[in-house]
Amino acid sequence: GLRKELSTAYDNVGWLHQELGEYDLALKMYERSLEIARGTGTPRTEAMALSNIGDLRLELGLFRDAIDAFEGSLAAGTDVAEPRIFCLANIGLGSAYCELGDFQKARFHLEQAKYEAHRMNLKRELGGAILAEGTVLLSEGRHEDASDRFQSAVSVFLDIAAIRPLARAYIFLGETLIRLKKRNRLSGVVRALEKLMQNHTLADEVRRNGRVAPRFVAHLAAKGRHEWDDFESNLNYKDLPRVPNQLDGTSAGAYRGISTRRIQVRTFGRLQVTLDGHAVPDRAWGGRKSQELFLYLLINRAGKTREQLLDSLWGEAGLEVRPNAFYNLVYRIRRALSEDASVIREGHRYRVSPHVQVSLDLDEFRRLSNEARTVPKGSRQEVTLLERANSLYAGEFLIDFYSDWIVQIRHEVEAQYLSNLSRMTPIQSDGRERRPPANTLAKTGEIGASDLAGQKQRAVTKMRRRF
């Protein structure tokens, strides 16, 4: 207990050094905290120390090193399921990737942070994620969207009287309004910031953010706004002027900006799930079973009751699965996909929301294979459809999963794949022999036409043995 408190103390001292600009001393304190945390086996303290190191490296412009630290914080925090650590690490990753120009990865991590912050009512972290999201939009040149995000962040921080992040939100909002040439609204931001930042330590926020908001900082300096008297102790937060905001008065849910997401799922070979073009890492699911539940609901779009899901995914062991364990899997799916609406409950059935845009390679494989049966046999159109279907077969269906329902589909798909090969005509329109594409042959070990029927029969026999 004492060493854990000592680790926390080093963290706090490191933060003070960082605020004073004494970065070398701050890093030494954070590293000492990390050493103690690892020595005592306290993952939460370890995760916080790594998050602080990430923040420091981010401030110093060491973005790759910051990413390493935040990734380590996420890994350590997973063991203790600490929502605040999860949010801070994802906000840090989003900010670092934004600085590196990888806006897709930045948005992915910030969506993760926003979802968890909203779920756990962590308003400071929610505001931080929205603020970082605004910087991504600002970097992309999407100034109107960035302005909306910064206004939302201002509202969140005003509600909880978070002075330092509120100052940062005003600075970024001011920068955006200058770029949009909205001088009238800019004057309101300057007045709000002038009243807020009449403390020399808070004025450091202006200097710190000069790189991100150079025009606004120059605007303040030209007006002499960086010279304020100390009066923070007498500051009445309720009297602070608010920037006009179309989101004022709304609930925190309005800040999430949830929209329909594009999810692509590849099940042939190793499972790959992408969210808006960005790969969802395995650790985001919190375990293999949450992935399996999502896949089962994806394939059974009409949905299933909880009892049916327990029976299909756990068999007889499903009787011993506690309700909370099942609900936790649903939550993990929603968190991995950064959206409550990804899995919904309708009556007694759970299903993937029909409003979520999902592309599943298994569906396309089956569609093309079935469509090939509706065209003239041996025609070029049939061969084209079969080749397109088999080109999706990048390996056995969900090769790393072993549940009975998955193995059943695996055998069915394998039989369909071999059947497709056997139906491909060996003759082209010009009379020459036609061979399946090289990648198709490679998947079957360069099998010849005479072997197809035998392999197909063996696959079908193997499938029937399951029953």
Side-chain angles (χ1 to χ4, degrees), residues 297-316:
L297 291 173
L298 196 57
I299 292 171
N300 296 276
R301 297 292 178 91
K304 298 286 185 179
T305 65
R306 185 174 72 89
E307 291 71 22
Q308 290 172 329
L309 291 169
L310 292 176
D311 182 62
S312 298
L313 272 64
W314 281 275
E316 293 182 0

Side-chain angles (χ1 to χ4, degrees), residues 393-413:
Y393 194 92
E396 292 186 5
F397 178 76
L398 293 175
I399 193 170
D400 294 327
F401 291 76
Y402 307 101
S403 294
D404 287 348
W405 72 272
I406 291 177
V407 174
Q408 176 185 341
I409 295 177
R410 183 179 300 154
H411 294 325
E412 291 173 353
V413 170

Side-chain angles (χ1 to χ4, degrees), residues 270-289:
R270 296 186 184 280
L271 175 65
Q272 297 180 47
V273 180
T274 59
L275 178 65
D276 292 335
H278 180 72
V280 180
D282 286 344
R283 69 167 182 277
W285 298 92
R288 183 64 60 84
K289 212 64 181 177

Side-chain angles (χ1 to χ4, degrees), residues 159-320:
D159 286 341
I160 60 174
I163 297 303
R164 190 171 295 277
L166 175 60
R168 195 175 308 123
Y170 275 135
I171 292 168
F172 292 163
L173 179 57
E175 176 72 15
T176 308
L177 293 176
I178 286 179
R179 299 188 186 189
L180 290 170
K181 298 182 180 180
K182 296 185 177 181
R183 300 290 177 176
N184 292 335
R185 291 176 59 193
L186 177 64
S187 61
V189 173
V190 172
R191 287 194 300 270
L193 189 61
E194 181 181 24
K195 185 171 183 179
L196 175 67
M197 296 185 63
Q198 296 191 24
N199 181 291
H200 290 297
T201 57
L202 288 178
D204 289 341
E205 286 296 332
V206 176
R207 290 186 287 272
R208 281 184 173 183
N209 293 287
R211 182 176 55 79
V212 179
R215 301 179 190 181
F216 185 66
V217 171
H219 179 75
L220 290 177
K223 293 179 173 294
R225 304 288 187 185
H226 60 293
E227 298 176 352
W228 296 295
D229 297 326
D230 295 328
F231 81 105
E232 187 185 29
S233 60
N234 299 318
L235 192 62
N236 185 345
Y237 302 126
K238 295 181 179 179
D239 292 338
L240 289 174
R242 290 176 180 262
V243 177
N245 182 0
Q246 61 182 352
L247 294 181
D248 276 353
T250 61
S251 66
Y255 305 131
R256 295 179 58 203
I258 290 178
S259 60
T260 301
R261 317 301 299 279
R262 294 185 301 277
I263 303 172
Q264 185 176 36
V265 183
R266 295 182 180 178
T267 57
F268 291 118
R270 296 186 184 280
L271 175 65
Q272 297 180 47
V273 180
T274 59
L275 178 65
D276 292 335
H278 180 72
V280 180
D282 286 344
R283 69 167 182 277
W285 298 92
R288 183 64 60 84
K289 212 64 181 177
S290 55
Q291 292 176 310
E292 187 178 332
L293 174 58
F294 174 66
L295 291 166
Y296 190 83
L297 291 173
L298 196 57
I299 292 171
N300 296 276
R301 297 292 178 91
K304 298 286 185 179
T305 65
R306 185 174 72 89
E307 291 71 22
Q308 290 172 329
L309 291 169
L310 292 176
D311 182 62
S312 298
L313 272 64
W314 281 275
E316 293 182 0
L319 297 174
E320 301 177 4

Side-chain angles (χ1 to χ4, degrees), residues 447-463:
I447 59 177
S450 61
D451 298 323
L452 290 176
Q455 289 208 26
K456 173 186 174 183
Q457 184 59 44
R458 285 194 293 274
V460 172
T461 301
K462 184 167 59 174
M463 178 185 69

